[in-house]
Amino acid sequence: MSDISLAQARRIVLAAQGFGARPGSSVGRAQLARLIDRLNLHQIDSVNVVARAHYLPAFSRLGCYDRALLDKAAWGGKRDRRLFEYWAHEASLLPLDLFPLMRWRMARADRGEAGYGALRRFATEQRPQADAILTRIAAEGPLAASDFPHGKSRSGWWEWGDTKRALEWLFYAGHLTTATRRRSFERVYDLTDRVIPAAILALPAPDEGEARRQLIDRAARALGVATAAELRDYFRLKPVEKDNAIADLVDAGALCPVRVEGWSQAAFLHRDARSPRRIAASALLAPFDPLIWHRDRTERLFGLRYRIEIYTPAASRVHGYYVLPFLMDERLVARVDLKADRQHGTLLAKTHFEPDAPPDSGDRLRVELDAMANWLQLDRVALR
């Protein structure tokens, strides 16, 4: 087992995540496609304080790009579609070639072996209700929960009624998928075989063990170096589901056990991971960015204790409502509470620099804020 310094681990992780190589020219479909293949997923979240969460990781790594490219890849017609929605690391957009690797999870949901109790019932005693919804969508075409009587959430994003639960079970079990999203970001469901290209549906689905090995391998490529828990967390596998997969990948030489300076747990380095001599990057990171979504890992890698405070009462917040850490080269040097004030064309920013932030942190951050305002089609930045 070899040893890796903490500084080296940071560079390996940042390179694996696609930092330090922003395109010098305009960003097109090819650059976005390569990033999607590198990260394997873009987490979806409903909060739109700055921009929807799935848009932000590409901006952090590529700079200004046309969000319509991602929309078309996620919710365009069959010719344009490159992504599909499913539960991976929470609700996510995934490359189409991962669809066969999720079949085992869909099959478990279909058997009532996955999901919480209120969903599992639609696999058994409440299946006729789900089948009726499926029959209606088959006959009428794509529908959202609000298109059904009493289909809308009672109050709040997660306060679902039975119709929404049935739709979500059908989605989890693979009978339905997302055809598109409405302006309110409401999911519109359709039959999976009317949305996913036939060539993808025809791909053979590996058995559960092989699917998990491939998912762990993809997680390891995206993370560079990671503990077993972090590899599992990327696609939200259960603890028991990761162990054999990691052992098999170690035996095959795809993963190499390593010790990282300061880490109490053993880690695994992917054989294809790069270890650059330095990383030059400037990036504002969304709370749901895969670089920082595992909070303990963020603290071990960067020495920053980061927590999202959206659900914290306003009086108890330390740094703000929607706070994005600022990556400068190989360090997280600031936290920025951001809000896109679209009515006044302003990106509102309240900054909190770390005590050891370099002297040029403010200038570098301002350049990145100006770039984000431009990307969001806002006229100016207002520092609060």
Side-chain angles (χ1 to χ4, degrees):
M1 184 182 293
S2 58
D3 294 326
I4 294 177
S5 71
L6 184 58
Q8 185 182 6
R10 278 196 296 266
R11 291 192 292 271
I12 290 170
V13 168
L14 289 168
Q17 282 279 300
F19 290 98
R22 278 188 176 176
S25 57
S26 61
V27 178
R29 289 178 57 183
Q31 291 94 335
L32 183 59
R34 284 195 291 270
L35 178 64
I36 288 168
D37 288 341
R38 177 189 292 274
L39 297 182
N40 292 289
L41 60 85
H42 281 43
Q43 187 174 337
I44 298 170
D45 187 79
S46 62
V47 177
N48 194 24
V49 176
V50 178
R52 300 276 185 205
H54 58 280
Y55 293 122
L56 287 163
F59 173 76
S60 299
R61 291 156 177 81
L62 301 176
C64 294
Y65 75 101
D66 185 355
R67 281 172 286 173
L69 292 173
L70 188 55
D71 288 340
K72 187 176 286 188
W75 302 296
K78 282 191 177 183
R79 282 188 179 179
D80 298 315
R81 191 176 294 263
R82 299 290 182 271
L83 301 165
F84 72 102
E85 285 190 35
Y86 195 61
W87 291 99
H89 188 93
E90 303 299 335
S92 303
L93 287 167
L94 299 94
L96 282 172
D97 64 350
L98 262 72
F99 190 86
L101 302 187
M102 294 295 165
R103 288 285 203 178
W104 65 276
R105 188 170 278 175
M106 296 173 187
R108 282 190 171 188
D110 188 60
R111 296 192 299 267
E113 298 171 2
Y116 61 91
L119 283 191
R120 292 186 184 209
R121 286 196 291 272
F122 290 99
T124 52
E125 65 262 30
Q126 289 183 265
R127 189 144 192 161
Q129 182 179 342
D131 287 342
I133 290 172
L134 191 64
T135 298
R136 181 177 168 187
I137 291 175
E140 297 182 21
L143 295 171
S146 61
D147 295 320
F148 292 83
H150 313 297
K152 293 189 71 173
S153 299
R154 292 191 293 269
S155 64
W157 189 256
W158 294 109
E159 293 297 319
W160 292 349
D162 272 357
T163 299
K164 176 62 174 175
R165 291 193 188 99
L167 285 164
E168 283 299 305
W169 175 77
L170 289 164
F171 174 85
Y172 197 8
H175 302 295
L176 296 177
T177 191
T178 306
T180 189
R181 290 270 184 168
R182 291 181 177 166
R183 289 183 64 86
S184 63
F185 207 56
E186 184 182 21
R187 178 182 280 156
V188 179
Y189 305 83
D190 199 2
L191 302 183
T192 299
D193 60 8
R194 293 201 297 224
V195 175
I196 304 297
I200 298 297
L201 294 174
L203 293 173
D207 63 36
E208 290 190 22
E210 178 57 26
R212 289 195 289 265
R213 278 190 291 275
Q214 291 189 40
L215 290 173
I216 290 288
D217 182 74
R218 287 187 181 238
R221 289 176 185 273
L223 294 172
V225 61
T227 66
E230 292 157 3
L231 293 174
R232 175 187 69 81
D233 182 65
Y234 207 84
F235 289 102
R236 290 291 163 88
L237 299 174
K238 294 179 180 178
V240 71
E241 293 172 346
K242 74 175 188 323
D243 293 336
N244 288 340
I246 291 175
D248 290 346
L249 290 168
V250 169
D251 289 344
L255 295 182
C256 177
V258 294
R259 286 183 294 263
V260 177
E261 176 189 359
W263 292 16
S264 60
Q265 295 177 311
F268 299 89
L269 176 72
H270 196 277
R271 64 182 168 196
D272 295 333
R274 294 190 305 109
S275 181
R277 297 182 64 180
R278 63 185 295 270
I279 295 286
S282 293
L284 289 158
L285 304 170
F288 308 104
D289 191 292
L291 180 66
I292 58 169
W293 67 31
H294 196 291
R295 308 309 189 202
D296 291 343
R297 173 179 170 87
T298 301
E299 192 165 355
R300 279 186 281 108
L301 273 170
F302 298 102
L304 184 82
R305 188 176 189 275
Y306 173 61
R307 298 294 184 270
I308 187 170
E309 299 180 74
I310 289 174
Y311 308 110
T312 303
S316 301
R317 291 179 191 135
V318 177
H319 298 102
Y321 179 75
Y322 199 72
V323 176
L324 284 71
F326 177 53
L327 173 71
M328 193 173 91
D329 299 330
E330 300 168 20
R331 298 169 59 187
L332 297 179
V333 301
R335 309 165 205 244
V336 190
D337 184 19
L338 284 179
K339 177 179 174 61
D341 182 352
R342 298 173 180 89
Q343 182 178 355
H344 297 97
T346 303
L347 182 62
L348 304 172
K350 185 176 182 180
T351 60
H352 305 266
F353 288 97
E354 294 302 297
D356 59 348
D360 61 340
S361 299
D363 293 338
R364 295 269 298 271
L365 175 58
R366 183 54 193 254
V367 171
E368 194 63 18
L369 288 169
D370 287 342
M372 176 173 277
N374 178 57
W375 175 60
L376 295 173
Q377 298 181 310
L378 301 172
D379 299 325
R380 65 191 185 97
V381 174
L383 297 176
R384 295 180 286 168

